[in-house]
Amino acid sequence: MVRHFGVFKFKAGINGEQIDQCFRTMKDMVGKIEGLLDMEYGEYNSTEGLNEDFTHGFVMTFDTLESRDAYLPHPVHEKVKEFVVPKLERVIVFDIDVPQV
């Protein structure tokens, strides 16, 4: 299993409805891209203050590395990126293998 997670800092002027629409569009990829099992997202809510101005995050779960690799250039993903990326000031994405116990 692979977790694909990231954090976003949206550009000034992007409102809450636009942010929600970005994440709904991302979540809509589940069921359209083989091996993408789940997608969760939310707004930063910790009192630690270690978010470095990133305001929102997401976690996607893929069944295999191969599914994650196929997702990256997938046409559905490319279309979502066309919608989401122009609204971002900064983004960090990070993937990890999750050992099966």
Side-chain angles (χ1 to χ4, degrees), residues 68-78:
R68 187 276 321 271
D69 290 346
Y71 149 85
L72 293 171
H74 195 285
V76 171
H77 179 226
E78 289 299 319

Side-chain angles (χ1 to χ4, degrees), residues 80-91:
V80 168
K81 284 177 20 184
E82 286 176 12
F83 180 75
V84 174
V85 171
K87 296 169 181 64
L88 302 176
E89 184 174 320
R90 291 182 63 202
V91 60

Side-chain angles (χ1 to χ4, degrees), residues 30-74:
V30 177
K32 293 181 180 173
I33 298 178
E34 188 174 341
L36 174 54
L37 304 176
D38 193 25
M39 188 273 189
E40 301 168 294
Y41 62 92
E43 189 170 355
Y44 180 76
N45 70 358
S46 176
T47 58
E48 277 184 303
L50 298 176
N51 59 314
E52 295 188 24
D53 294 327
F54 289 96
T55 59
H56 295 76
F58 69 90
V59 178
M60 293 180 175
T61 302
F62 290 90
D63 58 356
T64 64
L65 283 168
E66 292 80 14
S67 293
R68 187 276 321 271
D69 290 346
Y71 149 85
L72 293 171
H74 195 285

